[in-house]
Amino acid sequence: MTEILVRNAKQNEAKTLADLLSRCQWFTYGELFTNAYIERLIENYYNVERVKQEVTTIDKRWHGYIVAEKEGNLFGVIGGGMINETEGEIYVFYVAPEARGEGIGSRLLDFYTKIQKHTYGAVRQWVSVAKGNMYGIPFYESKGFIFKREEVSYGAAEEDEDISLVYSRRI
């Protein structure tokens, strides 16, 4: 079995990371949202310059990107920050389609949760998942996240029909 290394992303990986984020965005949401909406999300959040900046920014509000590497390739990414003194949130979390089911998501979530809990003092963790995302919803529920509410997704307008299901768990 090939070892999975979970670590902070490096600045020189910004292009590779942006490509992974974009590819996963299409895989996850291609059937849920319009092409124009997905393209707008990628342009706003997963462009190389923004990813490069976010790789090097690590603080309480944004913990940087944490990646899963296997055989020198990136197969997963997670990132987020603290939303108040005791609660953390996952803002972005993807595993490459070809690597799903290999434990990469679990490894990333465990690593990231330890950072939020032990470095930043989080006792609760939040995540928003697109309504209809049948990759993310069962995963989060299997990890103890409990549905709390629906809301319009961050960065979306009501006409985009991008509704998030908001989940939380104690950590």
Side-chain angles (χ1 to χ4, degrees), residues 92-110:
V92 59
F93 187 14
Y94 292 111
V95 173
E98 69 276 10
R100 295 179 50 74
E102 296 180 19
I104 290 171
S106 295
R107 292 277 309 277
L108 281 167
L109 181 61
D110 290 346

Side-chain angles (χ1 to χ4, degrees), residues 6-8 59 63 66 78-82 86-90 93 105-126 143 145 169-171:
V6 177
R7 60 171 175 76
N8 287 344
D59 58 30
H63 310 327
I66 308 297
I78 191 169
M82 296 297 291
T86 61
E87 297 178 312
E89 187 169 357
I90 299 165
F93 187 14
S106 295
R107 292 277 309 277
L108 281 167
L109 181 61
D110 290 346
F111 188 93
Y112 179 77
T113 299
K114 287 176 185 172
I115 291 170
Q116 287 204 311
K117 185 174 183 172
H118 300 297
T119 303
Y120 297 104
V123 297
R124 178 162 296 282
Q125 195 171 51
W126 293 87
K143 301 300 182 185
F145 284 87
R169 69 175 181 172
R170 290 195 57 76
I171 55 174

